[in-house]
Amino acid sequence: MTAVILPAGETSAKPRFEPVAKASGGVVAGSRYIAWPGTGGGAPIRLVDMKKGEQRAVPLPPGCESGWAPSKIGAGKLVWECYENEALVQDIASGAEYHVDLSGGDADGVGARWVRILVPGDDHDYQSYAWTDYRTGEGPSSRAARRALYRRRWVDDLDFPSLARRLCAPIQRDRASGPLFQAFQYEKPWALRILDYRRLLLDRCGRSSTILAKRPVRNQVLRDGWVTWADARGVHAYLPRTRRSVGWKLDEIGPHVADNCILQVTHTRRAIFVAATRDCFARSARIYIARRPAG
């Protein structure tokens, strides 16, 4: 067990990024936990508990080859996609395991109750969603599934027993192709969405939208009351409660961090993480961490 120390920072200052580890790929995160694949053949996953400030090694499940990493983290669960047409859900605290039939799709999220699955169409583009209660293997009611899949003012809540939750007014999702919607995340009273595949918007119940970005973005995350994302210029954070924006240029993250070689940007309740490489051909990534900005 290894302690994880957050970089020091003054209350009003912009937090500094510090290197924390090397990895063979990107990172996945939830409110409390973050994980990344270790380096070297058969290296275990590094799992960090940000609440306790501890880091430990998690061995690869049987059947997972070197280089595999969890595809999702949520509600204290890891999701592995090492098996054909099947996902393994691991409870971090208890070690309990659940097998979920993906039916040719990919796990897209996990919560306290449900696994969301992206289902491909005939041309192998993703055309729909499905949900499975990973404890029972059963799906939601047809009414809940229709609401989560087709209704603009409803969204799936992977922690909610009946899956579908109604959005607070005036928030609604924006249509994409088929039954899918454009990228959308909801954490009441906030909603994060991309409009016309370019503008990043933050909605709030009962209020108008705030434009966070007017250029293409990636890795946008709304979680635990704040937003992070990346674009061609660097990494950004926004704290809705105080309307504070913080940005880091690429050279403020780490030396020789090249544009388009940022593999992943994500955050937990307490910190923001960046997985980046010195050049786009590097086999390993450096994980950087910065404290959550005050506000």
Side-chain angles (χ1 to χ4, degrees):
M1 192 77 71
T2 305
V4 177
I5 306 299
L6 282 172
E10 299 178 6
T11 301
S12 58
K14 180 166 70 173
R16 304 189 314 271
F17 273 98
E18 300 285 353
V20 67
K22 286 186 177 180
S24 60
V27 297
V28 290
S31 295
R32 176 174 175 175
Y33 297 98
I34 186 164
W36 59 80
T39 57
I45 300 302
R46 307 306 303 184
L47 178 68
V48 179
D49 184 337
M50 296 300 296
K51 182 177 180 179
K52 294 183 177 180
E54 296 176 347
Q55 179 184 159
R56 63 184 174 93
V58 176
L60 301 176
C64 287
E65 300 176 357
S66 174
W68 279 102
S71 61
K72 299 294 176 184
I73 293 183
K77 309 292 187 298
L78 297 173
V79 178
W80 302 83
E81 295 183 75
C82 308
Y83 314 100
E84 185 176 0
N85 294 327
E86 187 178 76
L88 175 67
V89 178
Q90 282 185 329
D91 187 287
I92 295 173
S94 69
E97 298 183 350
Y98 308 89
H99 290 266
V100 176
D101 181 10
L102 296 178
S103 299
D106 291 299
D108 186 56
V110 62
R113 185 70 174 265
W114 303 94
V115 171
R116 182 196 302 119
I117 302 168
L118 271 171
V119 181
D122 294 337
D123 56 358
H124 302 292
D125 289 332
Y126 292 119
Q127 297 294 324
S128 188
Y129 291 108
W131 297 267
T132 298
D133 184 330
Y134 55 79
R135 296 173 302 174
T136 66
E138 298 179 355
S141 69
S142 58
R143 182 181 184 185
R146 285 196 304 271
R147 285 175 169 175
L149 193 60
Y150 298 112
R151 303 292 185 260
R152 298 182 65 185
R153 294 192 179 276
W154 290 79
V155 69
D156 63 346
D157 183 339
L158 303 181
D159 299 327
F160 194 49
S162 61
L163 179 68
R165 276 194 184 275
R166 188 175 181 88
L167 299 171
C168 58
I171 295 174
Q172 61 183 13
R173 298 185 288 174
D174 299 301
R175 285 281 184 196
S177 60
L180 300 184
F181 293 90
Q182 295 190 43
F184 182 90
Q185 299 171 46
Y186 184 62
E187 185 181 80
K188 192 175 181 179
W190 311 102
L192 184 68
R193 60 190 174 100
I194 292 181
L195 184 62
D196 300 327
Y197 302 98
R198 293 184 62 88
R199 289 188 293 169
L200 183 65
L201 304 178
L202 184 69
D203 300 327
R204 181 172 182 177
C205 301
R207 299 188 184 181
S208 57
S209 302
T210 299
I211 299 176
L212 301 183
K214 295 182 179 180
R215 64 181 67 91
V217 303
R218 60 184 185 274
N219 296 159
Q220 67 275 7
V221 176
L222 165 65
R223 185 188 296 125
D224 297 310
W226 62 309
V227 182
T228 55
W229 71 94
D231 61 22
R233 299 181 181 182
V235 173
H236 307 268
Y238 181 76
L239 296 99
R241 187 174 64 86
T242 59
R243 299 184 180 180
R244 183 185 180 189
S245 296
V246 180
W248 295 267
K249 297 179 181 179
L250 295 173
D251 59 5
E252 291 181 295
I253 299 169
H256 311 297
V257 175
D259 187 20
N260 295 324
C261 294
I262 293 179
L263 302 179
Q264 187 75 29
V265 176
T266 189
H267 69 262
T268 63
R269 186 183 303 275
R270 300 180 60 199
I272 178 173
F273 290 80
V274 173
T277 59
R278 294 183 62 176
D279 64 75
C280 294
F281 302 98
R283 294 185 178 181
S284 63
R286 176 75 71 173
I287 308 297
Y288 297 89
I289 180 176
R291 185 183 296 273
R292 174 175 175 159

Coordinates of all heavy atoms in Angstrom, one line a residue, residues 220-273:
Q220 N -14.5 15.6 -21.8 CA -15.3 16.5 -20.9 C -16.0 15.6 -19.8 O -16.5 14.6 -20.1 CB -16.3 17.3 -21.7 CG -17.4 16.5 -22.3 CD -17.1 16.0 -23.7 OE1 -15.9 16.1 -24.1 NE2 -18.0 15.4 -24.4
V221 N -15.9 16.1 -18.6 CA -16.4 15.3 -17.4 C -17.1 16.3 -16.5 O -16.5 17.3 -16.1 CB -15.4 14.5 -16.7 CG1 -16.0 13.9 -15.4 CG2 -14.7 13.5 -17.6
L222 N -18.4 16.0 -16.1 CA -19.1 16.7 -15.1 C -19.2 15.7 -13.9 O -19.9 14.6 -14.1 CB -20.5 17.1 -15.5 CG -21.5 17.5 -14.4 CD1 -21.0 18.8 -13.7 CD2 -22.9 17.8 -15.1
R223 N -18.6 16.0 -12.8 CA -18.7 15.1 -11.6 C -18.4 15.8 -10.3 O -17.5 16.7 -10.3 CB -17.7 13.9 -11.8 CG -17.7 12.8 -10.7 CD -16.6 11.8 -10.9 NE -16.7 11.1 -12.1 CZ -15.7 11.0 -13.0 NH1 -14.5 11.6 -12.7 NH2 -15.8 10.3 -14.1
D224 N -19.1 15.6 -9.3 CA -18.8 16.1 -8.0 C -18.8 17.6 -8.0 O -17.9 18.2 -7.3 CB -17.5 15.5 -7.4 CG -17.6 14.0 -7.2 OD1 -18.5 13.6 -6.6 OD2 -16.7 13.3 -7.7
G225 N -19.6 18.2 -8.8 CA -19.8 19.7 -8.7 C -18.8 20.5 -9.5 O -18.7 21.7 -9.3
W226 N -18.0 19.9 -10.4 CA -17.1 20.6 -11.2 C -16.9 19.9 -12.5 O -17.3 18.8 -12.7 CB -15.8 21.0 -10.5 CG -14.9 19.8 -10.1 CD1 -15.2 18.7 -9.4 CD2 -13.5 19.7 -10.3 NE1 -14.1 17.9 -9.1 CE2 -13.0 18.5 -9.7 CE3 -12.6 20.5 -11.0 CZ2 -11.7 18.1 -9.7 CZ3 -11.2 20.1 -11.0 CH2 -10.8 18.9 -10.4
V227 N -16.3 20.7 -13.5 CA -16.2 20.2 -14.9 C -14.8 20.3 -15.3 O -14.1 21.3 -15.0 CB -17.1 21.1 -15.8 CG1 -17.0 20.6 -17.3 CG2 -18.5 21.1 -15.4
T228 N -14.3 19.3 -16.0 CA -12.9 19.3 -16.6 C -13.0 18.9 -18.1 O -13.9 18.1 -18.5 CB -11.9 18.5 -15.9 OG1 -12.4 17.1 -15.8 CG2 -11.7 19.0 -14.5
W229 N -12.1 19.4 -18.9 CA -12.0 19.0 -20.3 C -10.7 19.4 -20.9 O -9.9 20.1 -20.3 CB -13.2 19.6 -21.1 CG -13.1 21.1 -21.4 CD1 -12.5 21.7 -22.4 CD2 -13.5 22.1 -20.5 NE1 -12.6 23.1 -22.3 CE2 -13.3 23.4 -21.1 CE3 -14.2 22.1 -19.2 CZ2 -13.6 24.6 -20.5 CZ3 -14.5 23.4 -18.7 CH2 -14.2 24.6 -19.3
A230 N -10.4 18.9 -22.1 CA -9.2 19.2 -22.8 C -9.6 19.8 -24.2 O -10.6 19.4 -24.8 CB -8.3 18.0 -22.9
D231 N -8.7 20.6 -24.8 CA -8.8 21.0 -26.1 C -7.4 21.2 -26.7 O -6.4 20.8 -26.0 CB -9.6 22.3 -26.3 CG -9.0 23.5 -25.6 OD1 -7.8 23.5 -25.3 OD2 -9.8 24.5 -25.3
A232 N -7.2 21.7 -27.9 CA -5.9 21.8 -28.5 C -5.0 22.8 -27.8 O -3.8 22.7 -27.9 CB -6.1 22.3 -30.0
R233 N -5.5 23.6 -26.9 CA -4.7 24.6 -26.2 C -4.2 24.1 -24.8 O -3.3 24.6 -24.2 CB -5.4 25.9 -26.0 CG -5.8 26.6 -27.3 CD -6.5 27.9 -27.1 NE -6.9 28.5 -28.4 CZ -7.5 29.7 -28.4 NH1 -7.8 30.4 -27.3 NH2 -7.8 30.2 -29.6
G234 N -4.9 23.1 -24.3 CA -4.5 22.6 -22.9 C -5.7 21.9 -22.2 O -6.5 21.3 -22.8
V235 N -5.6 22.1 -20.9 CA -6.6 21.4 -20.0 C -7.3 22.5 -19.2 O -6.7 23.5 -18.8 CB -5.9 20.4 -19.1 CG1 -6.8 19.9 -18.0 CG2 -5.2 19.3 -19.9
H236 N -8.6 22.3 -18.9 CA -9.4 23.3 -18.3 C -10.3 22.7 -17.2 O -10.7 21.5 -17.2 CB -10.4 23.9 -19.4 CG -9.6 24.4 -20.6 ND1 -9.2 25.7 -20.7 CD2 -9.3 23.8 -21.7 CE1 -8.6 25.9 -21.9 NE2 -8.6 24.7 -22.5
A237 N -10.6 23.6 -16.2 CA -11.6 23.2 -15.2 C -12.5 24.4 -14.9 O -12.1 25.6 -15.1 CB -10.8 22.9 -13.9
Y238 N -13.7 24.1 -14.6 CA -14.7 25.1 -14.3 C -15.5 24.7 -13.0 O -16.0 23.5 -12.9 CB -15.7 25.3 -15.5 CG -16.7 26.3 -15.2 CD1 -16.4 27.7 -15.3 CD2 -18.1 26.0 -14.9 CE1 -17.4 28.7 -15.1 CE2 -19.0 26.9 -14.7 CZ -18.7 28.3 -14.8 OH -19.7 29.3 -14.7
L239 N -15.7 25.6 -12.1 CA -16.4 25.4 -10.9 C -17.7 26.2 -10.9 O -17.7 27.4 -10.7 CB -15.5 25.7 -9.6 CG -14.3 24.9 -9.5 CD1 -13.1 25.6 -10.1 CD2 -14.0 24.4 -8.1
P240 N -18.8 25.5 -11.1 CA -20.1 26.3 -11.4 C -20.5 27.1 -10.2 O -21.1 28.2 -10.4 CB -21.1 25.1 -11.6 CG -20.3 24.0 -12.1 CD -19.0 24.1 -11.3
R241 N -20.3 26.6 -9.0 CA -20.8 27.3 -7.8 C -20.2 28.8 -7.7 O -20.9 29.7 -7.3 CB -20.4 26.6 -6.5 CG -21.1 27.1 -5.3 CD -20.8 26.3 -4.1 NE -19.4 26.2 -3.7 CZ -18.8 27.1 -3.0 NH1 -19.4 28.1 -2.5 NH2 -17.5 27.0 -2.7
T242 N -19.0 28.9 -8.0 CA -18.3 30.3 -8.0 C -18.0 30.8 -9.4 O -17.5 31.9 -9.5 CB -17.0 30.2 -7.2 OG1 -16.1 29.2 -7.8 CG2 -17.2 29.7 -5.8
R243 N -18.3 30.1 -10.4 CA -18.1 30.5 -11.8 C -16.6 30.7 -12.0 O -16.2 31.6 -12.8 CB -18.9 31.7 -12.2 CG -20.4 31.5 -12.1 CD -21.2 32.7 -12.5 NE -22.6 32.4 -12.4 CZ -23.6 33.3 -12.8 NH1 -23.2 34.5 -13.3 NH2 -24.8 33.0 -12.7
R244 N -15.8 30.0 -11.4 CA -14.3 30.1 -11.5 C -13.8 29.2 -12.7 O -14.1 28.0 -12.7 CB -13.6 29.8 -10.3 CG -12.1 30.0 -10.4 CD -11.3 29.6 -9.2 NE -9.9 29.8 -9.4 CZ -8.9 29.4 -8.6 NH1 -9.2 28.7 -7.5 NH2 -7.6 29.7 -8.9
S245 N -13.1 29.8 -13.6 CA -12.4 29.0 -14.7 C -10.9 29.0 -14.4 O -10.3 30.0 -14.1 CB -12.7 29.7 -16.0 OG -14.1 29.6 -16.3
V246 N -10.4 27.8 -14.7 CA -8.9 27.6 -14.5 C -8.4 26.9 -15.8 O -9.1 25.9 -16.2 CB -8.5 26.8 -13.2 CG1 -7.0 26.7 -13.1 CG2 -9.1 27.6 -12.0
G247 N -7.3 27.3 -16.3 CA -6.8 26.7 -17.5 C -5.3 26.4 -17.4 O -4.6 27.3 -16.7
W248 N -4.8 25.4 -17.9 CA -3.4 25.1 -17.9 C -2.9 24.9 -19.4 O -3.5 24.0 -20.1 CB -3.1 23.8 -17.1 CG -3.4 23.8 -15.7 CD1 -2.5 24.2 -14.7 CD2 -4.6 23.5 -15.0 NE1 -3.1 24.1 -13.5 CE2 -4.4 23.6 -13.7 CE3 -5.9 23.1 -15.5 CZ2 -5.5 23.4 -12.7 CZ3 -6.9 22.9 -14.6 CH2 -6.7 23.0 -13.2
K249 N -1.9 25.6 -19.8 CA -1.3 25.3 -21.1 C -0.5 24.0 -21.0 O -0.2 23.5 -20.0 CB -0.4 26.5 -21.5 CG -1.1 27.8 -21.6 CD -0.1 28.9 -22.0 CE -0.8 30.3 -22.1 NZ 0.2 31.3 -22.5
L250 N -0.3 23.5 -22.2 CA 0.4 22.2 -22.3 C 1.7 22.1 -21.5 O 2.0 21.2 -20.8 CB 0.6 21.8 -23.7 CG -0.7 21.5 -24.5 CD1 -0.3 21.3 -26.0 CD2 -1.5 20.4 -24.0
D251 N 2.5 23.2 -21.6 CA 3.8 23.2 -20.9 C 3.7 23.5 -19.4 O 4.6 23.3 -18.7 CB 4.7 24.3 -21.5 CG 4.2 25.7 -21.5 OD1 3.1 25.9 -20.9 OD2 4.8 26.6 -22.0
E252 N 2.5 23.8 -19.0 CA 2.2 23.9 -17.5 C 1.9 22.5 -16.9 O 1.9 22.4 -15.7 CB 1.1 24.9 -17.2 CG 1.4 26.3 -17.5 CD 0.3 27.2 -17.2 OE1 -0.8 27.1 -17.9 OE2 0.5 28.1 -16.3
I253 N 1.6 21.6 -17.7 CA 1.2 20.2 -17.2 C 2.5 19.4 -17.0 O 2.7 18.8 -15.9 CB 0.3 19.5 -18.2 CG1 -1.0 20.3 -18.4 CG2 0.1 18.1 -17.7 CD1 -1.8 19.8 -19.5
G254 N 3.4 19.4 -17.9 CA 4.7 18.7 -17.8 C 5.6 19.0 -19.0 O 5.1 19.5 -20.0
P255 N 6.9 18.8 -18.8 CA 7.8 19.1 -19.9 C 7.5 18.2 -21.1 O 7.3 17.0 -21.1 CB 9.2 18.7 -19.3 CG 8.9 17.7 -18.2 CD 7.5 18.1 -17.7
H256 N 7.6 18.9 -22.3 CA 7.5 18.2 -23.6 C 6.1 17.5 -23.8 O 6.1 16.6 -24.6 CB 8.6 17.2 -23.7 CG 10.0 17.7 -23.4 ND1 10.5 18.7 -24.2 CD2 10.8 17.4 -22.4 CE1 11.7 19.0 -23.6 NE2 11.9 18.2 -22.6
V257 N 5.1 17.9 -23.1 CA 3.8 17.4 -23.4 C 3.3 17.9 -24.7 O 3.1 19.1 -24.9 CB 2.8 17.7 -22.3 CG1 1.4 17.2 -22.6 CG2 3.2 17.1 -21.0
A258 N 3.1 17.1 -25.7 CA 2.8 17.5 -27.1 C 1.3 17.6 -27.3 O 0.5 16.8 -26.7 CB 3.4 16.6 -28.1
D259 N 0.8 18.5 -28.1 CA -0.6 18.5 -28.5 C -1.0 17.2 -29.1 O -0.3 16.6 -29.9 CB -0.8 19.7 -29.4 CG -2.3 19.9 -29.7 OD1 -3.1 19.5 -28.9 OD2 -2.6 20.6 -30.7
N260 N -2.3 16.8 -28.8 CA -2.9 15.6 -29.3 C -2.2 14.3 -28.8 O -2.6 13.2 -29.2 CB -2.8 15.6 -30.9 CG -3.7 16.6 -31.5 OD1 -4.7 17.0 -31.0 ND2 -3.2 17.2 -32.6
C261 N -1.3 14.5 -27.8 CA -0.7 13.3 -27.2 C -1.2 13.3 -25.7 O -0.6 12.5 -24.9 CB 0.8 13.3 -27.3 SG 1.4 13.2 -28.9
I262 N -2.2 14.1 -25.4 CA -2.9 13.9 -24.1 C -3.9 12.7 -24.3 O -4.8 12.8 -25.0 CB -3.6 15.2 -23.7 CG1 -2.6 16.3 -23.4 CG2 -4.5 14.9 -22.5 CD1 -3.3 17.6 -23.0
L263 N -3.6 11.7 -23.6 CA -4.4 10.5 -23.7 C -5.8 10.6 -23.0 O -6.8 10.1 -23.4 CB -3.7 9.2 -23.2 CG -2.3 8.9 -23.9 CD1 -1.7 7.7 -23.2 CD2 -2.5 8.7 -25.4
Q264 N -5.7 11.2 -21.8 CA -6.9 11.3 -21.0 C -6.9 12.4 -20.0 O -5.8 12.7 -19.5 CB -7.1 9.9 -20.2 CG -8.3 9.8 -19.4 CD -9.5 9.5 -20.3 OE1 -9.3 8.9 -21.4 NE2 -10.7 9.9 -19.9
V265 N -8.0 13.1 -19.8 CA -8.2 14.1 -18.8 C -9.4 13.7 -18.0 O -10.5 13.4 -18.6 CB -8.3 15.5 -19.4 CG1 -8.6 16.5 -18.2 CG2 -7.1 15.9 -20.1
T266 N -9.3 13.6 -16.7 CA -10.5 13.2 -15.9 C -10.3 13.8 -14.5 O -9.2 14.3 -14.2 CB -10.7 11.7 -15.9 OG1 -12.0 11.4 -15.3 CG2 -9.6 11.0 -15.2
H267 N -11.3 13.6 -13.6 CA -11.1 14.1 -12.3 C -11.9 13.2 -11.3 O -12.8 12.5 -11.7 CB -11.5 15.5 -12.1 CG -12.9 15.8 -12.3 ND1 -13.5 16.3 -13.5 CD2 -14.0 15.8 -11.4 CE1 -14.8 16.5 -13.3 NE2 -15.1 16.2 -12.1
T268 N -11.5 13.3 -10.0 CA -12.2 12.7 -8.9 C -12.8 13.9 -8.1 O -12.8 15.1 -8.6 CB -11.3 11.9 -8.0 OG1 -10.3 12.8 -7.5 CG2 -10.6 10.8 -8.8
R269 N -13.3 13.6 -6.9 CA -13.8 14.7 -6.1 C -12.8 15.7 -5.7 O -13.0 16.9 -5.6 CB -14.5 14.1 -4.9 CG -15.2 15.1 -4.0 CD -15.7 14.5 -2.7 NE -16.6 13.4 -3.0 CZ -17.9 13.5 -3.2 NH1 -18.5 14.6 -3.2 NH2 -18.6 12.4 -3.5
R270 N -11.5 15.3 -5.6 CA -10.5 16.1 -5.0 C -9.4 16.6 -6.0 O -8.6 17.4 -5.6 CB -9.8 15.4 -3.8 CG -10.8 15.0 -2.7 CD -10.0 14.3 -1.6 NE -9.0 15.1 -1.1 CZ -7.9 14.6 -0.4 NH1 -7.8 13.3 -0.2 NH2 -7.0 15.4 0.1
A271 N -9.3 15.9 -7.1 CA -8.1 16.2 -8.0 C -8.4 16.0 -9.4 O -9.3 15.3 -9.8 CB -6.9 15.4 -7.5
I272 N -7.6 16.6 -10.3 CA -7.7 16.4 -11.7 C -6.4 15.6 -12.2 O -5.3 15.8 -11.7 CB -7.8 17.8 -12.5 CG1 -7.8 17.6 -14.0 CG2 -6.6 18.7 -12.1 CD1 -8.1 18.8 -14.8
F273 N -6.6 14.7 -13.1 CA -5.6 13.8 -13.6 C -5.4 14.0 -15.1 O -6.4 14.1 -15.8 CB -5.9 12.4 -13.3 CG -5.8 12.0 -11.8 CD1 -6.8 12.3 -11.0 CD2 -4.6 11.4 -11.3 CE1 -6.8 12.0 -9.6 CE2 -4.6 11.1 -9.9 CZ -5.6 11.4 -9.1

